[in-house]
Amino acid sequence: MFYHTLQSEPDRAYYGLDHVLRANDSNAIDVLMLTDGLFRSSDVATRKKYVSLVESVRENGGDVKIFSSLHLSGEQLGQLSGVAALLRFPLPNVDSDSDSSSDHD
């Protein structure tokens, strides 16, 4: 479903932590998808970031799906940074916002 939405309505399918966090800030996330490996990071701050994201999405009425990195779907999601979201409504300006307001790492 994510790949179909990415192809047909790219403004409603986001992946990568920065884009997903921006979508969450707009309360736009309908379904958050993460790989389980993100919660096993050796960095505590990283784990807390993802736990906080999950809690926020659930508080805003979104659904959270966690995929096993041992399953094909989890492997595919891992290739897209391990975090993706289907949005309730299109957010077409996230790319341009990130270009103008962030330092490129």
Side-chain angles (χ1 to χ4, degrees):
M1 178 163 189
F2 177 80
Y3 287 107
H4 173 73
T5 303
L6 187 61
Q7 291 289 324
S8 63
E9 297 180 80
D11 292 339
R12 290 189 58 228
Y14 281 11
Y15 61 92
L17 183 59
D18 289 341
H19 285 166
V20 170
L21 287 174
R22 287 176 184 261
N24 188 53
D25 289 343
S26 299
N27 295 330
I29 296 178
D30 188 32
V31 180
L32 175 67
M33 296 165 282
L34 305 114
T35 59
D36 59 354
L38 298 173
F39 299 99
R40 292 194 302 262
S41 171
S42 59
D43 180 33
V44 175
T46 298
R47 288 195 312 258
K48 285 183 178 183
K49 187 184 327 181
Y50 288 106
V51 169
S52 176
L53 175 60
V54 166
E55 290 172 350
S56 178
V57 168
R58 285 182 174 153
E59 287 171 7
N60 291 321
D63 192 17
V64 176
K65 307 286 187 195
I66 299 175
F67 294 85
S68 169
S69 54
L70 300 176
H71 190 272
L72 178 61
S73 58
E75 287 178 17
Q76 291 173 338
L77 183 56
Q79 293 172 359
L80 290 176
S81 77
V83 60
L86 294 172
L87 307 185
R88 292 183 177 104
F89 49 86
L91 285 178
N93 296 324
V94 169
D95 284 332
S96 61
D97 288 349
S98 65
D99 288 346
S100 63
S101 66
S102 70
D103 296 334
H104 294 281
D105 296 326

